[in-house]
Amino acid sequence: MCGIVGILGSKPVATDLVDALRRLEYRGYDSAGVATVENGHLERRRAEGKLRNLETRLLSEPLSGHTGIGHTRWATHGRPTERNAHPHMSAKVSVVHNGIIENFRELKTELTAKGHTFETDTDTEAVVHLVTDEMERGAGPIDAVKAALGKLKGAFALGIIFAGEDDLMIAARQGSPLAIGHGSGEMYLGSDAIALAPFTDAITYLEEGDWAVMRRAGVQVFDRAGQPVTRPLIKSVASSLLVDKGNHRHFMAKEIHEQPDVISHTLSNYLDMANARVNFPDLGIDLTKISRVTISACGTAYYAGLVGKYWIERYARVPVEIDVASEMRYREAPLPADGLAVFVSQSGETADTLATLRYAKANGQRIASIVNVRTSTIARESHAVLPTLAGPEIGVASTKAFTCQLAALACLAIAIGRARGAISQELEQELVTALVEVPRLISTVLRNEEQYIELAHGLSKARDVLYLGRGSSYPLALEGALKLKEISYIHAEGYAAGELKHGPIALIDEAVPVIVVAPEDDLLEKTVSNVQEVAARGGQIILISNANPETIGCALAAHIPTPKAHPLTNPLIYAIPVQLLAYHTAVFMGTDVDQPRNLAKSVTVE
Ligand code: AGP
């Protein structure tokens, strides 16, 4: 959940390092730093908080070295202070690190006993002293790093530079992504290709266990055993994806409004719109034979998977087991022979989701992943990749990726149902036609944004907010609560509407807004009963529905009208109101909408 960069440049690199770090701020932003080789010795500048604080530091204390590394941090070990900010260093070596060194305490004890002095609370510093210790015992930089890597346990991506070595950088990857960029007379290192986009689109991705010796003339890659390996040099599309906010105040606003377009792109990847048929890729498994589908993901991606469960069970008639990846990876759930396991992830780097994928793969499942980054680790370790074509999602709170995940899952459910004969050709055409209408229907919701600004004022005063939904609207209640709490910091919980009377109704009073996700479907009548239970106790009801509010039979604090849609597509459409409610509440409260506190866009640690 941190971002690392490195440049072997032909001119001073500090400014370019900071620019590259800005493209990695989505990975974490509670402190940042750079280190360079200055006339043979190592210098560094670090700052707590946002990247602009590091830039200010560099203006007053510039660096001129042509070899350097940089880091933007999401704290795992040690508070987000300058002292704990990367790069970490000794007189001989400087290191930036993404991931967790799981055995750092043993290493720290061993190295301290050897006389090394630790200045920070971080796990990364163990790497600094491990490499330094090897060099003090006579090893050169490359052998020192090779020996040190053999002693590290955990998930890490490392960038390392050395005093007296102006044309050397060593990179290592174990569990956390790392890309090497090839320039003309320059070489680059980054947590992903987007960071390197301004410098090059010629990228080599290191694989698990790889380490690399980089010089301006080129790179040598070695595998875990120290054997030279060749990794493909690919042309990254990241450079064409250079992103900015357009005319929006935040990336999140831009990404909410991009949804009609990107959902269209994603649907076009799986549908034959002209003939209202699915045009789904071969998953390499006989869909008529699978006894169960397993779905696993984290956060918003998990809620997308939960909607997928409702769709696959209802339309394809296949049982679905779903669990959050952080639980499924340790449950040792028995998995059926010849089962299909689906992993949903925007970043494609989420550690828990990746670990669960590996568990499912080791247990004979056919692995399909729905990802927004085609070159991600989860994509590379899947048998079949089902891309969401949302484009880079910069806002930490996922919006367009979520609805594109839903689009891909809906097409998957139809494809499975068709293969098994559970969906007739007529029903297929009905469902595909409904999906094709989604972008237009979402556009109508986006036109009614003023109402959310007014509602945000009221919501911002709440201490607790409840979201309710039934059926495939229940995951939308969960997602709406997550959106609100993660960007406005207001406590919010999503519940199955039918669960209210089993406890949560005790929370209801005039101070508790209750947001009800209730399309006019076969469950509306049941949900209306729950709404009346809430109203009878003074709860402030905000009803999101295409139903006529007059038919609800009780007073509403507000009604957010939505377009009538096919039951299949309601989750895609109702995602927009809950996103806009969260967004405008956060804007009204003045929180950091695109980079909320304590969060990071890609959670690559457990
Ligand atoms: C979503 O708004 C959150 N930022 C978070 O829950 C996210 O969905 C989760 O961390 C999973 O990330 P992934 O989709 O990249 O795997």
Side-chain angles (χ1 to χ4, degrees):
M1 296 208 296
C2 304
I4 67 176
V5 290
I7 302 177
L8 287 170
S10 52
K11 59 184 186 332
V13 296
T15 306
D16 283 343
L17 287 170
V18 173
D19 285 348
L21 287 176
R22 183 167 293 106
R23 314 187 65 69
L24 289 173
E25 268 196 310
Y26 72 91
R27 302 175 67 85
Y29 38 80
D30 55 34
S31 58
V34 295
T36 55
V37 179
E38 302 283 327
N39 305 315
H41 68 276
L42 294 171
E43 286 265 354
R44 77 178 161 189
R45 304 288 183 268
R46 300 178 294 174
E48 196 173 324
K50 290 292 171 63
L51 211 44
R52 57 176 170 269
N53 300 339
L54 176 61
E55 284 182 303
T56 306
R57 172 67 53 84
L58 281 164
L59 283 175
S60 57
E61 302 167 67
L63 292 172
S64 58
H66 294 193
T67 296
I69 51 180
H71 185 276
T72 180
R73 185 169 185 242
W74 185 85
T76 54
H77 290 71
R79 288 181 49 71
T81 60
E82 179 179 339
R83 188 173 70 94
N84 287 330
H86 301 216
H88 293 290
M89 60 187 269
S90 66
K92 291 180 179 297
V93 63
S94 184
V95 177
V96 288
H97 164 226
N98 172 31
I100 291 180
I101 307 295
E102 292 178 14
N103 61 331
F104 92 96
R105 287 182 182 76
E106 300 97 86
L107 293 172
K108 185 170 182 175
T109 305
E110 185 188 307
L111 290 160
T112 305
K114 287 185 173 181
H116 293 270
T117 306
F118 282 70
E119 297 165 355
T120 78
D121 312 322
T122 67
D123 54 341
T124 308
E125 202 183 352
V127 181
V128 170
H129 293 299
L130 205 50
V131 176
T132 302
D133 187 60
E134 294 292 341
M135 294 177 76
E136 285 175 349
R137 293 189 297 129
I142 297 171
D143 290 338
V145 170
K146 183 179 174 183
L149 289 175
K151 295 177 181 173
L152 297 180
K153 274 174 61 185
F156 50 82
L158 297 170
I160 308 173
I161 56 174
F162 304 84
E165 297 284 352
D166 189 60
D167 187 22
L168 176 63
M169 184 178 296
I170 296 181
R173 180 217 162 146
Q174 188 163 304
S176 299
L178 208 48
I180 290 175
H182 302 255
S184 52
E186 297 192 331
M187 287 297 277
Y188 314 98
L189 178 66
S191 294
D192 65 23
I194 292 181
L196 305 182
F199 312 123
T200 182
D201 58 5
I203 300 291
T204 295
Y205 285 96
L206 294 185
E207 297 292 339
E208 280 293 297
D210 284 358
W211 55 288
V213 176
M214 298 164 60
R215 300 185 190 278
R216 287 181 180 80
V219 60
Q220 279 181 295
V221 183
F222 302 91
D223 65 13
R224 201 189 303 272
Q227 294 306 310
V229 289
T230 303
R231 298 299 181 212
L233 191 152
I234 64 171
K235 194 168 179 55
S236 158
V237 295
S239 52
S240 61
L241 299 173
L242 294 179
V243 290
D244 59 36
K245 293 178 200 157
N247 60 355
H248 292 281
R249 188 171 163 191
H250 300 103
F251 279 111
M252 184 176 176
K254 174 173 176 273
E255 289 152 10
I256 287 172
H257 285 268
E258 284 178 334
Q259 289 178 105
D261 292 343
V262 296
I263 289 170
S264 296
H265 296 164
T266 302
L267 287 171
S268 61
N269 199 43
Y270 300 108
L271 297 179
D272 169 2
M273 299 216 186
N275 299 304
R277 309 287 305 277
V278 285
N279 180 17
F280 211 76
D282 177 7
L283 300 181
I285 187 170
D286 181 350
L287 295 174
T288 62
K289 292 195 168 49
I290 55 175
S291 59
R292 192 180 78 187
V293 174
T294 301
I295 299 177
S296 192
C298 299
T300 288
Y302 168 73
Y303 299 142
L306 198 49
V307 176
K309 170 185 169 72
Y310 282 91
W311 286 337
I312 292 169
E313 291 186 338
R314 174 164 187 171
Y315 293 107
R317 310 308 298 157
V318 177
V320 176
E321 154 132 27
I322 183 169
D323 200 349
V324 290
S326 54
E327 288 299 311
M328 184 162 273
R329 67 179 291 187
Y330 294 115
R331 259 180 40 202
E332 296 188 12
L335 296 172
D338 306 324
L340 174 63
V342 180
F343 296 90
V344 187
S345 176
Q346 187 287 130
S347 63
E349 299 298 345
T350 300
D352 288 323
T353 309
L354 177 59
T356 307
L357 181 155
R358 289 170 175 167
Y359 170 79
K361 201 173 192 179
N363 283 273
Q365 301 306 288
R366 187 74 181 166
I367 307 298
S369 60
I370 296 174
V371 292
N372 202 36
V373 181
R374 288 296 300 259
T375 54
S376 62
T377 306
I378 285 174
R380 292 207 297 274
E381 297 197 15
S382 299
H383 297 123
V385 178
L386 305 173
T388 50
L389 305 179
E393 187 176 69
I394 307 301
V396 166
S398 187
T399 51
K400 61 178 183 174
F402 173 65
T403 48
C404 287
Q405 289 159 1
L406 292 178
L409 283 161
C411 296
L412 173 64
I414 298 170
I416 297 173
R418 278 296 279 141
R420 301 168 69 92
I423 293 179
S424 66
Q425 187 171 343
E426 295 70 30
L427 179 55
E428 176 186 20
Q429 292 182 332
E430 175 191 319
L431 298 176
V432 170
T433 304
L435 285 170
V436 170
E437 289 176 352
V438 165
R440 174 179 56 79
L441 295 176
I442 284 181
S443 299
T444 63
V445 177
L446 289 171
R447 281 198 288 273
N448 177 24
E449 195 154 0
E450 280 312 306
Q451 178 181 24
Y452 297 93
I453 297 170
E454 292 154 31
L455 287 171
H457 294 197
L459 276 181
S460 65
K461 299 181 181 65
R463 182 174 43 81
D464 297 296
V465 180
L466 283 188
Y467 286 74
L468 303 179
R470 278 181 184 266
S472 60
S473 296
Y474 165 44
L476 271 293
L478 297 172
E479 167 61 7
L482 176 61
K483 284 279 115 16
L484 185 69
K485 63 185 138 185
E486 70 174 326
I487 63 174
S488 73
Y489 315 147
I490 296 172
H491 174 245
E493 288 307 322
Y495 274 97
E499 270 297 288
L500 202 62
K501 52 189 171 300
H502 300 291
I505 201 163
L507 293 170
I508 301 299
D509 63 26
E510 291 71 14
V512 178
V514 179
I515 297 167
V516 185
V517 181
E520 196 171 21
D521 58 16
D522 53 1
L523 295 172
L524 178 64
E525 193 182 322
K526 301 290 181 201
T527 305
V528 165
S529 312
N530 303 132
V531 170
Q532 289 165 347
E533 291 157 12
V534 170
R537 290 159 179 83
Q540 300 302 299
I541 298 153
I542 298 174
L543 177 69
I544 308 175
S545 178
N546 61 300
N548 175 352
E550 306 299 320
T551 62
I552 301 303
C554 64
L556 300 175
H559 169 234
I560 298 175
T562 52
K564 181 162 182 55
H566 191 286
L568 169 77
T569 57
N570 281 324
L572 286 126
I573 290 146
Y574 284 68
I576 312 311
V578 300
Q579 290 169 358
L580 290 172
L581 272 177
Y583 173 73
H584 286 293
T585 303
V587 168
F588 185 76
M589 297 183 73
T591 56
D592 194 336
V593 171
D594 283 333
Q595 297 181 343
R597 68 185 184 192
N598 307 342
L599 292 180
K601 182 65 179 173
S602 177
V603 183
T604 56
V605 293
E606 285 199 38

